[in-house]
Amino acid sequence: MLDIAEELHWWVEQGREFAVATVVAVGGSAPRQPGAALAVDSDGTAIGSVSGGCVEGAVYELCQQAIEDGRTVVERFGYSDEDAFAVGLTCGGIIDILVTPVRGGVYPAALAAAVSGEAAALARIVSGPTDLMGRALLVRPDGEYEGSLGGHPELDRTAAGEALAMLDAGRTGTVEIGEDGSRCGQPLTLLVESSVPAPRMIVFGAIDFASALVRVGKFLGYHVTVCDARPVFATPARFPEADEIVVEWPHRYLESTEVDGRTVLCVLTHDAKFDVPLLEAALKLPVAYVGAMGSRRTHEDRNKRLREVGVTEIELARLRSPIGLDLGARTPEETALSIAAEIVANRRGGTGVSLTGAHTPIHHDAPRAPAGRIGSVA
């Protein structure tokens, strides 16, 4: 439900009564992953999605029922060969939906944390004894938690520890623990939704291609920074959608700013005096993606210069170059799309090949590529 936190937080502030349907498990080819949510208020207003349209009508009715009777339920939806027009997923997948009436508890605090960009994890029981279904715990980065899952006293401490581990990794998913907080008791399944600050995209080089990439980066949910040593180019007027603009030598800024395993670095300076010291530093950082713009000839010259300053072959092997997927891009907007497509493929474990005629999964279950996977278009 944290993926629609902004709207739900507004509903809470208005005092609206509502219920939230959350995807808690998927099987086969499902359009949305655990954590995706649809909410309905007492006036019938709906926001969000759990299936891309396949079962929204049925889930809408379940939310209305939850508002009326105050009960938490789990419903499974799947495709039926016997009745292709029955409520189900025409893509052939199966999804389990948790429907919960939201009436106080830790939910307002969880939504407020998500809206303000604070790190927090919401853990909810989605499988287990009926009287515990939907019980929630809000876990902070320091390990402190609010709320209770009920049951055995040790259950909250164990659940908080599991949720904290997922929060540290920025992951949303399910985990099983025992009803008594051990690994041996009657199993409970928890859905842990992690709310973490937006990942960073740092674009080096205040050029036209950068302007297009900033717009795409914001669309993908990144906190976007533009960095260039030339103050005449690095201006708010040229990059009105950027979250911040930094006038500094790129390698100096990279050495002084905070990055993590979700950060993507896009080097568009296309100038060896900027590229080489910047990439020398970037290749040693545990970031998710690094790209460096340039032709294949530029790439070969850049690699030569990087070897001369001591960058190892193992580090160079992490560098994908030229940047982006082969879309035949020409314009800044097309090039930005090419770069963004590679970032998404890298993050989700996609191949980048056309789905038409391919035998690869449409929705990849693989976790995000390990931090440090690097990328570099003419």
Side-chain angles (χ1 to χ4, degrees):
M1 62 183 286
L2 299 184
D3 66 339
I4 52 174
E6 188 170 348
E7 295 93 337
L8 295 184
H9 180 61
W10 185 57
W11 283 7
V12 169
E13 290 188 324
Q14 289 188 316
R16 295 197 197 187
E17 188 175 6
F18 62 93
V20 178
T22 308
V23 177
V24 298
V26 301
S29 180
R32 302 298 304 276
Q33 294 301 302
L38 178 146
V40 179
D41 73 359
S42 55
D43 292 331
T45 303
I47 56 173
S49 171
V50 292
S51 71
C54 302
V55 300
E56 309 302 84
V59 174
Y60 180 91
E61 293 179 0
L62 287 172
C63 287
Q64 289 185 312
Q65 185 64 41
I67 294 173
E68 291 179 10
D69 60 28
R71 294 179 59 244
T72 294
V73 299
V74 173
E75 190 77 20
R76 172 166 290 184
F77 295 92
Y79 178 74
S80 170
D81 289 326
E82 289 74 27
D83 186 359
F85 294 99
V87 173
L89 299 174
T90 56
C91 56
I94 296 172
I95 58 174
D96 289 343
I97 304 291
L98 173 74
V99 183
T100 306
V102 176
R103 294 171 178 170
V106 300
Y107 292 110
L111 295 171
V115 170
S116 64
E118 298 175 27
L122 179 67
R124 290 185 282 169
I125 297 177
V126 299
S127 175
T130 302
D131 61 327
L132 298 183
M133 292 292 290
R135 294 284 189 94
L137 201 68
L138 178 63
V139 183
R140 305 286 185 177
D142 59 4
E144 295 294 320
Y145 58 88
E146 304 171 33
S148 176
L149 300 180
H152 197 281
E154 189 65 24
L155 177 58
D156 289 346
R157 287 190 289 272
T158 301
E162 295 287 350
L164 182 60
M166 297 188 73
L167 177 61
D168 286 342
R171 293 182 54 231
T172 288
T174 57
V175 60
E176 284 198 355
I177 60 177
E179 187 179 348
D180 60 358
S182 71
R183 293 293 183 181
C184 303
Q186 181 71 23
L188 297 176
T189 302
L190 300 179
L191 172 68
V192 179
E193 296 179 74
S194 293
S195 171
V196 293
R200 296 192 67 188
M201 171 184 284
I202 308 178
V203 181
F204 297 98
I207 62 176
D208 289 344
F209 289 92
S211 180
L213 185 57
V214 167
R215 296 195 296 273
V216 175
K218 291 299 296 179
F219 178 76
L220 292 178
Y222 285 93
H223 180 281
V224 183
T225 299
V226 176
C227 175
D228 197 300
R230 303 164 296 179
V232 67
F233 295 112
T235 66
R238 284 171 55 83
F239 300 96
E241 296 183 58
D243 292 291
E244 56 184 346
I245 298 171
V246 177
V247 179
E248 177 61 279
W249 277 77
H251 71 283
R252 292 175 184 167
Y253 176 67
L254 184 59
E255 291 169 353
S256 64
T257 193
E258 291 186 7
V259 298
D260 60 25
R262 301 181 302 144
T263 303
V264 299
L265 308 177
C266 300
V267 182
L268 311 184
T269 45
H270 211 277
D271 186 325
K273 69 176 178 290
F274 295 120
D275 290 0
V276 172
L278 175 57
L279 289 173
E280 181 185 4
L283 287 167
K284 294 176 171 60
L285 296 174
V287 294
Y289 176 92
V290 178
M293 176 172 281
S295 66
R296 297 191 185 279
R297 180 177 179 179
T298 298
H299 166 69
E300 292 301 326
D301 177 69
R302 184 167 52 224
N303 275 6
K304 177 176 178 292
R305 293 172 184 267
L306 288 170
R307 290 187 181 97
E308 290 173 351
V309 297
V311 176
T312 68
E313 294 301 321
I314 293 177
E315 291 169 336
L316 282 176
R318 300 170 59 205
L319 179 62
R320 292 181 182 182
S321 177
I323 193 172
L325 298 184
D326 180 12
L327 305 183
R330 291 288 184 181
T331 67
E333 290 74 19
E334 291 172 345
T335 301
L337 178 62
S338 167
I339 297 169
E342 185 171 60
I343 290 172
V344 172
N346 181 74
R347 179 179 181 184
R348 301 298 186 188
T351 64
V353 302
S354 174
L355 291 173
T356 303
H359 300 287
T360 56
I362 295 177
H363 305 290
H364 289 260
D365 295 326
R368 186 185 63 211
R373 186 97 177 268
I374 311 296
S376 167
V377 115

mmCIF file of all heavy atoms in Angstrom, residues 138-164:
data_model
loop_
_atom_site.group_PDB
_atom_site.id
_atom_site.type_symbol
_atom_site.label_atom_id
_atom_site.label_comp_id
_atom_site.label_asym_id
_atom_site.label_seq_id
_atom_site.Cartn_x
_atom_site.Cartn_y
_atom_site.Cartn_z
ATOM 1 N N LEU A 138 5.063 -1.393 12.396
ATOM 2 C CA LEU A 138 5.851 -0.398 11.678
ATOM 3 C C LEU A 138 7.259 -0.388 12.266
ATOM 4 O O LEU A 138 7.432 -0.169 13.469
ATOM 5 C CB LEU A 138 5.219 0.985 11.800
ATOM 6 C CG LEU A 138 5.979 2.143 11.131
ATOM 7 C CD1 LEU A 138 6.066 1.932 9.626
ATOM 8 C CD2 LEU A 138 5.312 3.476 11.448
ATOM 9 N N VAL A 139 8.272 -0.619 11.432
ATOM 10 C CA VAL A 139 9.649 -0.759 11.891
ATOM 11 C C VAL A 139 10.492 0.381 11.330
ATOM 12 O O VAL A 139 10.454 0.668 10.122
ATOM 13 C CB VAL A 139 10.239 -2.117 11.454
ATOM 14 C CG1 VAL A 139 11.661 -2.288 11.990
ATOM 15 C CG2 VAL A 139 9.345 -3.257 11.940
ATOM 16 N N ARG A 140 11.270 1.023 12.212
ATOM 17 C CA ARG A 140 12.147 2.128 11.833
ATOM 18 C C ARG A 140 13.567 1.621 11.586
ATOM 19 O O ARG A 140 13.926 0.518 12.019
ATOM 20 C CB ARG A 140 12.169 3.180 12.943
ATOM 21 C CG ARG A 140 10.793 3.695 13.343
ATOM 22 C CD ARG A 140 10.193 4.621 12.324
ATOM 23 N NE ARG A 140 8.922 5.183 12.791
ATOM 24 C CZ ARG A 140 8.206 6.066 12.119
ATOM 25 N NH1 ARG A 140 8.647 6.514 10.954
ATOM 26 N NH2 ARG A 140 7.060 6.534 12.601
ATOM 27 N N PRO A 141 14.415 2.421 10.927
ATOM 28 C CA PRO A 141 15.793 1.982 10.628
ATOM 29 C C PRO A 141 16.628 1.668 11.856
ATOM 30 O O PRO A 141 17.585 0.890 11.774
ATOM 31 C CB PRO A 141 16.375 3.173 9.858
ATOM 32 C CG PRO A 141 15.204 3.868 9.272
ATOM 33 C CD PRO A 141 14.106 3.707 10.281
ATOM 34 N N ASP A 142 16.296 2.261 12.994
ATOM 35 C CA ASP A 142 17.062 1.997 14.210
ATOM 36 C C ASP A 142 16.590 0.744 14.941
ATOM 37 O O ASP A 142 17.095 0.412 16.025
ATOM 38 C CB ASP A 142 17.017 3.198 15.161
ATOM 39 C CG ASP A 142 15.594 3.561 15.586
ATOM 40 O OD1 ASP A 142 14.642 2.840 15.201
ATOM 41 O OD2 ASP A 142 15.432 4.568 16.305
ATOM 42 N N GLY A 143 15.621 0.049 14.369
ATOM 43 C CA GLY A 143 15.116 -1.172 14.978
ATOM 44 C C GLY A 143 13.916 -0.972 15.872
ATOM 45 O O GLY A 143 13.276 -1.939 16.296
ATOM 46 N N GLU A 144 13.596 0.277 16.210
ATOM 47 C CA GLU A 144 12.409 0.552 17.020
ATOM 48 C C GLU A 144 11.155 0.253 16.194
ATOM 49 O O GLU A 144 11.138 0.437 14.976
ATOM 50 C CB GLU A 144 12.396 2.007 17.469
ATOM 51 C CG GLU A 144 13.538 2.371 18.416
ATOM 52 C CD GLU A 144 13.427 1.645 19.745
ATOM 53 O OE1 GLU A 144 12.282 1.513 20.250
ATOM 54 O OE2 GLU A 144 14.463 1.206 20.269
ATOM 55 N N TYR A 145 10.110 -0.193 16.877
ATOM 56 C CA TYR A 145 8.884 -0.517 16.147
ATOM 57 C C TYR A 145 7.647 -0.079 16.911
ATOM 58 O O TYR A 145 7.669 0.098 18.131
ATOM 59 C CB TYR A 145 8.814 -1.998 15.811
ATOM 60 C CG TYR A 145 8.889 -2.939 16.994
ATOM 61 C CD1 TYR A 145 7.736 -3.313 17.687
ATOM 62 C CD2 TYR A 145 10.110 -3.485 17.403
ATOM 63 C CE1 TYR A 145 7.789 -4.184 18.763
ATOM 64 C CE2 TYR A 145 10.177 -4.359 18.481
ATOM 65 C CZ TYR A 145 9.007 -4.707 19.153
ATOM 66 O OH TYR A 145 9.070 -5.571 20.223
ATOM 67 N N GLU A 146 6.562 0.108 16.146
ATOM 68 C CA GLU A 146 5.270 0.508 16.699
ATOM 69 C C GLU A 146 4.238 -0.539 16.324
ATOM 70 O O GLU A 146 4.347 -1.197 15.290
ATOM 71 C CB GLU A 146 4.833 1.869 16.131
ATOM 72 C CG GLU A 146 5.816 2.999 16.323
ATOM 73 C CD GLU A 146 5.407 4.236 15.547
ATOM 74 O OE1 GLU A 146 4.181 4.470 15.410
ATOM 75 O OE2 GLU A 146 6.298 4.954 15.059
ATOM 76 N N GLY A 147 3.197 -0.665 17.161
ATOM 77 C CA GLY A 147 2.141 -1.616 16.879
ATOM 78 C C GLY A 147 2.471 -2.992 17.422
ATOM 79 O O GLY A 147 3.484 -3.199 18.093
ATOM 80 N N SER A 148 1.613 -3.962 17.105
ATOM 81 C CA SER A 148 1.825 -5.333 17.555
ATOM 82 C C SER A 148 1.108 -6.287 16.620
ATOM 83 O O SER A 148 0.035 -5.975 16.086
ATOM 84 C CB SER A 148 1.309 -5.521 18.980
ATOM 85 O OG SER A 148 1.442 -6.870 19.386
ATOM 86 N N LEU A 149 1.724 -7.460 16.428
ATOM 87 C CA LEU A 149 1.102 -8.494 15.613
ATOM 88 C C LEU A 149 0.227 -9.413 16.452
ATOM 89 O O LEU A 149 -0.420 -10.315 15.917
ATOM 90 C CB LEU A 149 2.191 -9.321 14.905
ATOM 91 C CG LEU A 149 3.102 -8.537 13.964
ATOM 92 C CD1 LEU A 149 4.136 -9.459 13.341
ATOM 93 C CD2 LEU A 149 2.298 -7.832 12.876
ATOM 94 N N GLY A 150 0.214 -9.213 17.771
ATOM 95 C CA GLY A 150 -0.572 -10.061 18.650
ATOM 96 C C GLY A 150 0.116 -11.395 18.864
ATOM 97 O O GLY A 150 1.232 -11.624 18.407
ATOM 98 N N GLY A 151 -0.552 -12.298 19.542
ATOM 99 C CA GLY A 151 0.023 -13.619 19.723
ATOM 100 C C GLY A 151 1.147 -13.631 20.739
ATOM 101 O O GLY A 151 1.135 -12.907 21.737
ATOM 102 N N HIS A 152 2.167 -14.422 20.490
ATOM 103 C CA HIS A 152 3.275 -14.612 21.410
ATOM 104 C C HIS A 152 4.112 -13.335 21.546
ATOM 105 O O HIS A 152 4.356 -12.635 20.563
ATOM 106 C CB HIS A 152 4.155 -15.759 20.913
ATOM 107 C CG HIS A 152 5.082 -16.311 21.939
ATOM 108 N ND1 HIS A 152 6.256 -15.688 22.285
ATOM 109 C CD2 HIS A 152 5.007 -17.424 22.704
ATOM 110 C CE1 HIS A 152 6.867 -16.398 23.211
ATOM 111 N NE2 HIS A 152 6.136 -17.468 23.486
ATOM 112 N N PRO A 153 4.578 -13.010 22.779
ATOM 113 C CA PRO A 153 5.358 -11.772 22.979
ATOM 114 C C PRO A 153 6.607 -11.693 22.122
ATOM 115 O O PRO A 153 7.045 -10.591 21.767
ATOM 116 C CB PRO A 153 5.726 -11.835 24.468
ATOM 117 C CG PRO A 153 4.675 -12.690 25.081
ATOM 118 C CD PRO A 153 4.328 -13.717 24.050
ATOM 119 N N GLU A 154 7.209 -12.841 21.794
ATOM 120 C CA GLU A 154 8.441 -12.826 21.011
ATOM 121 C C GLU A 154 8.186 -12.554 19.527
ATOM 122 O O GLU A 154 9.100 -12.210 18.780
ATOM 123 C CB GLU A 154 9.160 -14.167 21.171
ATOM 124 C CG GLU A 154 10.566 -14.229 20.589
ATOM 125 C CD GLU A 154 11.549 -13.310 21.291
ATOM 126 O OE1 GLU A 154 11.319 -12.966 22.472
ATOM 127 O OE2 GLU A 154 12.544 -12.914 20.645
ATOM 128 N N LEU A 155 6.912 -12.682 19.122
ATOM 129 C CA LEU A 155 6.578 -12.538 17.704
ATOM 130 C C LEU A 155 6.946 -11.158 17.171
ATOM 131 O O LEU A 155 7.517 -11.037 16.089
ATOM 132 C CB LEU A 155 5.080 -12.799 17.498
ATOM 133 C CG LEU A 155 4.544 -12.612 16.074
ATOM 134 C CD1 LEU A 155 5.267 -13.519 15.089
ATOM 135 C CD2 LEU A 155 3.029 -12.875 16.048
ATOM 136 N N ASP A 156 6.631 -10.099 17.919
ATOM 137 C CA ASP A 156 6.919 -8.744 17.458
ATOM 138 C C ASP A 156 8.418 -8.521 17.274
ATOM 139 O O ASP A 156 8.845 -7.909 16.289
ATOM 140 C CB ASP A 156 6.370 -7.709 18.443
ATOM 141 C CG ASP A 156 4.853 -7.629 18.417
ATOM 142 O OD1 ASP A 156 4.259 -8.171 17.466
ATOM 143 O OD2 ASP A 156 4.283 -7.038 19.342
ATOM 144 N N ARG A 157 9.214 -9.000 18.215
ATOM 145 C CA ARG A 157 10.665 -8.797 18.119
ATOM 146 C C ARG A 157 11.257 -9.520 16.909
ATOM 147 O O ARG A 157 12.094 -8.967 16.201
ATOM 148 C CB ARG A 157 11.337 -9.247 19.418
ATOM 149 C CG ARG A 157 11.112 -8.309 20.591
ATOM 150 C CD ARG A 157 11.991 -8.666 21.772
ATOM 151 N NE ARG A 157 11.547 -9.906 22.408
ATOM 152 C CZ ARG A 157 10.638 -9.950 23.375
ATOM 153 N NH1 ARG A 157 10.069 -8.821 23.792
ATOM 154 N NH2 ARG A 157 10.298 -11.105 23.926
ATOM 155 N N THR A 158 10.804 -10.748 16.687
ATOM 156 C CA THR A 158 11.302 -11.507 15.538
ATOM 157 C C THR A 158 10.863 -10.856 14.228
ATOM 158 O O THR A 158 11.656 -10.709 13.295
ATOM 159 C CB THR A 158 10.797 -12.954 15.587
ATOM 160 O OG1 THR A 158 11.240 -13.561 16.792
ATOM 161 C CG2 THR A 158 11.327 -13.751 14.409
ATOM 162 N N ALA A 159 9.587 -10.464 14.164
ATOM 163 C CA ALA A 159 9.070 -9.823 12.959
ATOM 164 C C ALA A 159 9.797 -8.513 12.685
ATOM 165 O O ALA A 159 10.122 -8.198 11.532
ATOM 166 C CB ALA A 159 7.575 -9.571 13.102
ATOM 167 N N ALA A 160 10.077 -7.738 13.740
ATOM 168 C CA ALA A 160 10.793 -6.471 13.574
ATOM 169 C C ALA A 160 12.188 -6.712 13.026
ATOM 170 O O ALA A 160 12.675 -5.958 12.165
ATOM 171 C CB ALA A 160 10.864 -5.729 14.897
ATOM 172 N N GLY A 161 12.848 -7.757 13.484
ATOM 173 C CA GLY A 161 14.180 -8.075 12.977
ATOM 174 C C GLY A 161 14.164 -8.448 11.506
ATOM 175 O O GLY A 161 15.024 -8.022 10.732
ATOM 176 N N GLU A 162 13.167 -9.260 11.111
ATOM 177 C CA GLU A 162 13.057 -9.650 9.699
ATOM 178 C C GLU A 162 12.733 -8.440 8.831
ATOM 179 O O GLU A 162 13.275 -8.275 7.731
ATOM 180 C CB GLU A 162 11.968 -10.712 9.543
ATOM 181 C CG GLU A 162 12.255 -12.030 10.231
ATOM 182 C CD GLU A 162 13.327 -12.833 9.523
ATOM 183 O OE1 GLU A 162 13.713 -12.454 8.397
ATOM 184 O OE2 GLU A 162 13.787 -13.839 10.096
ATOM 185 N N ALA A 163 11.829 -7.590 9.321
ATOM 186 C CA ALA A 163 11.454 -6.397 8.553
ATOM 187 C C ALA A 163 12.624 -5.443 8.420
ATOM 188 O O ALA A 163 12.823 -4.822 7.363
ATOM 189 C CB ALA A 163 10.271 -5.701 9.222
ATOM 190 N N LEU A 164 13.421 -5.315 9.474
ATOM 191 C CA LEU A 164 14.581 -4.420 9.424
ATOM 192 C C LEU A 164 15.590 -4.890 8.388
ATOM 193 O O LEU A 164 16.175 -4.072 7.667
ATOM 194 C CB LEU A 164 15.239 -4.350 10.802
ATOM 195 C CG LEU A 164 16.444 -3.411 10.927
ATOM 196 C CD1 LEU A 164 16.050 -1.980 10.587
ATOM 197 C CD2 LEU A 164 17.016 -3.480 12.338
#
